[in-house]
Amino acid sequence: MKRIITFIFICASILSCQKEEGMGKVEVESDVIYLPAAAGTRHVLVDATTEWRLEYDTSTPWMSTDLHGGKVNRKYFTVSFLDNPYASARTCSIRVFTSDGNDTKEITVIQKRRPSVIQFETEELEVECWAGTYSVAFTDNIIDRQDIKFSTDSDWITLYPYSDDGDVVEFYIDRLPSVVESHRTGHVYVTCEVEDEGTVTDVLTVRQLAGTNE
């Protein structure tokens, strides 16, 4: 009887070890994956000892995958994503698990926000030699518009105060001195410090033409 009990115990141990060795394991390249704001595709690496499956909210409108699972020899899946038109990042979670349910990894997919842009409607403004007030429109997608600043490198260009709810910069240009026989060039700069992006900027070239000053 003792031998029978011992044999049963040994067999149970062997079967337990075999079952444990056959349990699925899965690894993914990273638990967080960043996607650019522009539309595209990206391969995500997977290494599993058994067949594996994907699970995520398939109603997510901006992201999809090329498959929902693979065999052992399949080492990746592909994520397709649309443009992110928003000023904030967006996320989706993908669960990768073995077909036997023994191992699971979760990937957080983060699509970056659109880059901040600020731009004058024209690159260059030509004005006559006479003094006068001018304005140039600009476009932007800046969230915190109170951080938009204007400056100039020329003492003959005077900027008027700017309101952060506007989309036009105004400035006064002095008369070109009569002793100056050629045109002069100055610049108006628009800049904004954006978190995680640094300085967003554009430049307007102002060219004052020489002519009769009489």
Side-chain angles (χ1 to χ4, degrees):
M1 177 65 71
K2 185 176 181 181
R3 289 182 179 178
I4 294 174
I5 293 174
T6 301
F7 177 75
I8 293 173
F9 176 77
I10 292 173
C11 290
S13 298
I14 292 173
L15 290 173
S16 176
C17 290
Q18 288 177 341
K19 182 178 180 181
E20 187 172 328
E21 288 175 0
M23 293 172 118
K25 295 290 182 182
V26 64
E27 295 294 336
V28 294
E29 62 176 274
S30 177
D31 57 359
V32 179
I33 291 174
Y34 292 93
L35 305 177
T41 60
R42 188 195 194 284
H43 295 322
V44 181
L45 301 182
V46 177
D47 189 11
T49 59
T50 65
E51 289 188 1
W52 50 274
R53 302 286 182 267
L54 295 181
E55 186 178 84
Y56 63 94
D57 183 359
T58 54
S59 66
T60 301
W62 58 272
M63 191 204 77
S64 62
T65 60
D66 63 331
L67 46 78
H68 290 276
K71 296 185 180 299
V72 177
N73 61 352
R74 177 71 184 220
K75 300 300 183 182
Y76 71 92
F77 63 92
T78 303
V79 174
S80 299
F81 48 94
L82 304 177
D83 281 319
N84 183 1
Y86 305 108
S88 59
R90 53 189 180 183
T91 65
C92 182
S93 294
I94 299 177
R95 191 169 74 94
V96 185
F97 57 96
T98 56
S99 57
D100 62 5
N102 181 66
D103 197 14
T104 300
K105 295 294 185 296
E106 186 165 298
I107 301 172
T108 300
V109 179
I110 302 175
Q111 186 178 27
K112 297 179 180 179
R113 67 188 183 190
R114 64 184 180 181
S116 298
V117 175
I118 189 165
Q119 187 173 22
F120 288 112
E121 68 173 357
T122 182
E123 295 181 358
E124 183 174 306
L125 177 68
E126 286 191 350
V127 301
E128 298 294 335
C129 58
W130 310 108
T133 298
Y134 298 86
S135 64
V136 174
F138 67 92
T139 58
D140 73 279
N141 62 1
I142 304 298
I143 300 175
D144 196 352
R145 301 186 84 243
Q146 66 180 3
D147 292 331
I148 296 176
K149 308 294 182 187
F150 291 92
S151 61
T152 180
D153 60 2
S154 304
D155 57 7
W156 48 275
I157 300 175
T158 303
L159 297 170
Y160 291 119
Y162 164 73
S163 173
D164 58 24
D165 61 354
D167 56 5
V168 173
V169 58
E170 291 186 304
F171 46 91
Y172 180 82
I173 295 179
D174 295 338
R175 177 175 175 171
L176 186 69
S178 58
V179 295
V180 178
E181 297 181 354
S182 60
H183 72 264
R184 60 182 176 182
T185 301
H187 302 90
V188 175
Y189 303 95
V190 57
T191 59
C192 186
E193 293 296 326
V194 180
E195 186 179 0
D196 299 330
E197 292 186 54
T199 303
V200 180
T201 186
D202 195 25
V203 59
L204 168 69
T205 300
V206 180
R207 218 159 68 113
Q208 189 173 32
L209 304 176
T212 178
N213 283 317
E214 301 187 13

